[in-house]
Amino acid sequence: MSTETFSRVRVGKNLSDMFPIRNGLKQGDAHSPLFFNFALEYTIRRVQVNQDGLKINGTHQLLAYADDVNILGGSVDTVKKNAEALVAETKETGLEVNAHKSKYMTVSRDQNAGRIHSMKIENSSIEKVEEFKYLGTMLTNQNSIQEEIKGRLKSGNAFYYSVQNLLSSRLLSKNLKIKIYRTIILPVVLYGCETWSLTLREERRLRVFENRVLRRVFGSKRDEVTG
């Protein structure tokens, strides 16, 4: 698709002569994401995933979003086999798995589960971690959301301080300030909340943050809008 490709440059109403594109398809090209999706989808469909492990919507163990691929399995050995199958298929389509960015994690109530510290895939070692961020959400081997809530509140505080002058301004109405809170701050704090399983402690931390923002908007007195 990238051979014998020509292009032109338009500046205002002037159009340059045609010139050849010799560098092929590079990242950042308008078609690059589309071609990448075709290649990755083809690769994933060819992978023969082992039947041992977690089942989601009738399919086994492999989730993909853009270039982030998550392999799920009932054991470390299953994940290793499926990872090897994926690496082999990506080579067939010209893709490459980045071993330095790849991690694996064992989620189990047994503290001694998955005691090995790295996984060997061909000539690359995949590091074992206790937590990692996937699609913007922090996952831990204890399936705890404490670190995720902590990170969400930290990000929310950053956005709060960036607009606190607006929230305390007398030139803006309270309704407009609430819209600022709901459109700028709240989505940052609640990102990924559909997967949270909150404890009373975490609920309290979120309420403390919200009350602090609302005090900035309404003052310390009770307001009819918020009750």
Side-chain angles (χ1 to χ4, degrees):
M1 292 183 178
S2 300
T3 60
E4 299 183 3
T5 303
F6 294 84
S7 184
R8 290 181 174 182
V9 177
R10 181 186 296 275
V11 179
K13 296 182 179 180
N14 300 318
L15 189 64
S16 72
D17 296 332
M18 295 181 63
F19 56 90
I21 303 296
R22 298 188 176 91
N23 291 331
L25 185 66
K26 296 295 183 180
Q27 185 172 352
D29 185 283
H31 296 96
S32 181
L34 183 62
F35 293 151
F36 174 80
N37 286 339
F38 285 157
L40 185 59
E41 177 73 13
Y42 175 77
T43 299
I44 290 176
R45 289 181 182 275
R46 283 174 56 92
V47 173
Q48 297 297 320
V49 181
N50 192 293
Q51 297 301 300
D52 173 37
L54 185 61
K55 215 176 196 182
I56 298 179
N57 293 333
T59 61
H60 284 84
Q61 303 174 323
L62 201 151
L63 307 175
Y65 181 84
D67 61 344
D68 292 319
V69 179
N70 187 6
I71 300 175
L72 310 175
S75 65
V76 175
D77 184 61
T78 299
V79 172
K80 184 176 185 296
K81 290 180 179 179
N82 293 335
E84 289 173 343
L86 180 63
V87 170
E89 290 297 337
T90 55
K91 289 183 177 180
E92 293 294 325
T93 54
L95 300 178
E96 183 178 349
V97 175
N98 191 328
H100 297 290
K101 291 184 178 180
S102 300
K103 312 292 180 184
Y104 89 94
M105 183 174 71
T106 303
V107 180
S108 174
R109 295 180 180 179
D110 183 3
Q111 298 295 325
N112 295 322
R115 298 178 65 179
I116 56 176
H117 297 288
S118 64
M119 179 191 300
K120 199 76 171 179
I121 305 293
E122 293 188 341
N123 296 324
S124 302
S125 294
I126 308 300
E127 178 188 3
K128 180 185 177 183
V129 296
E130 294 183 354
E131 62 180 29
F132 72 95
K133 184 167 287 190
Y134 180 67
L135 301 183
T137 299
M138 182 64 69
L139 306 177
T140 70
N141 63 347
Q142 298 297 316
N143 200 25
S144 170
I145 64 167
Q146 292 183 4
E147 289 301 317
E148 172 64 9
I149 296 293
K150 182 179 178 180
R152 291 290 104 210
L153 291 176
K154 183 178 179 180
S155 298
N157 275 318
F159 279 81
Y160 164 69
Y161 286 118
S162 70
V163 298
Q164 65 175 339
N165 290 335
L166 295 176
L167 297 179
S168 59
S169 174
R170 295 184 178 181
L171 300 177
L172 302 180
S173 67
K174 292 181 180 179
N175 286 335
L176 182 56
K177 293 176 183 179
I178 288 296
K179 287 184 179 179
I180 293 175
Y181 166 61
R182 288 177 175 173
T183 58
I184 297 179
I185 301 175
L186 197 59
V188 174
V189 177
L190 297 183
Y191 175 81
C193 66
E194 297 86 352
T195 63
W196 293 352
S197 179
L198 293 176
T199 63
L200 291 177
R201 177 184 178 185
E202 304 306 330
E203 286 186 18
R204 193 177 302 113
R205 294 179 65 184
L206 292 170
R207 290 184 184 277
V208 168
F209 173 82
E210 182 175 52
N211 289 338
R212 180 157 59 89
V213 177
L214 295 181
R215 278 197 298 269
R216 172 69 66 173
V217 174
F218 296 104
S220 58
K221 295 182 179 180
R222 185 186 181 102
D223 191 274
E224 295 179 358
V225 176
T226 60

